[in-house]
């Protein structure tokens, strides 16, 4: 970050945009997780899926944990990857298992989570101890 003439550090616009996406996704997944724990229509939806209510609770825990982790700088990349995986399952379920499924929202959340995971892949690599590949100068 660089300091301007007034001594205030300027933050790159890309960093701001990524944080806006992180906060928006975290809010959506916290709300979705809340709905999964509250029951109501989600209880009926998971009954139609036929795997039991345990899946609803597991999905709720994954969504809430992922949402909170999105807001922790070190865990943002892995959290986005986790949430993208949850949305793969949700999209498939909405398209192929539920009779009147609506896959649009899960697909949008999948795209946003996967894109965020891509931009935050350095955090994921660092967390798992993966060394960056040395760049080839032959090209």
């Amino acid at each position: 970050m660089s300091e301007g003439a007034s001594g205030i550090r300027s933050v790159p616009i890309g960093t701001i945009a990524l944080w806006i996406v992180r906060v928006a996704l975290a809010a959506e997944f916290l709300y979705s997780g809340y709905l999964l724990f509250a029951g109501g229509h989600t209880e009926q939806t998971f009954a139609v899926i036929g795997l039991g209510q345990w899946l609803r609770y597991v999905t709720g825990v994954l969504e809430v944990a992922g949402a909170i982790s999105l807001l922790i700088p070190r865990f943002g990349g892995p959290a986005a990857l986790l949430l993208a995986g949850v949305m793969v399952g949700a999209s498939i379920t909405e398209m192929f298992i539920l009779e009147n499924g609506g896959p649009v929202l899960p697909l949008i959340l999948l795209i946003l989570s996967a894109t965020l995971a891509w931009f935050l892949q350095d955090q994921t690599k660092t967390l798992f101890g993966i060394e960056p590949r040395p760049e080839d100068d032959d090209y």
Side-chain angles (χ1 to χ4, degrees):
M1 288 184 218
S2 61
E3 289 192 27
S6 65
I8 299 174
R9 293 189 298 177
S10 62
V11 179
I13 191 73
T15 301
I16 294 170
L18 286 176
W19 272 104
I20 289 171
V21 172
R22 286 169 88 153
V23 170
L25 279 175
E28 172 60 34
F29 281 111
L30 278 174
Y31 177 69
S32 177
Y34 162 75
L35 291 178
L36 287 168
F37 288 118
H41 78 280
T42 59
E43 199 170 305
Q44 297 164 353
T45 301
F46 278 82
V48 171
I49 293 170
L51 293 176
Q53 294 301 310
W54 66 269
L55 182 60
R56 177 170 61 98
Y57 292 114
V58 168
T59 304
V61 167
L62 291 174
E63 288 188 5
V64 169
I68 292 168
S69 297
L70 274 178
L71 301 176
I72 301 171
R74 181 176 185 181
F75 300 122
L81 199 57
L82 167 76
L83 292 170
V86 172
M87 288 300 100
V88 166
S91 298
I92 290 170
T93 300
E94 292 284 349
M95 286 189 283
F96 300 113
I97 295 175
L98 298 176
E99 189 173 313
N100 294 322
V104 175
L105 180 60
L107 287 172
I108 290 170
L109 294 173
L110 169 61
I111 291 167
L112 288 173
S113 297
T115 302
L116 186 61
W118 174 261
F119 281 108
L120 300 177
Q121 66 182 306
D122 289 342
Q123 292 176 353
T124 306
K125 289 177 182 177
T126 301
L127 188 67
F128 292 115
I130 300 171
E131 295 292 325
R133 251 184 351 194
E135 299 296 324
D136 275 337
D137 293 334
D138 297 337
Y139 293 102

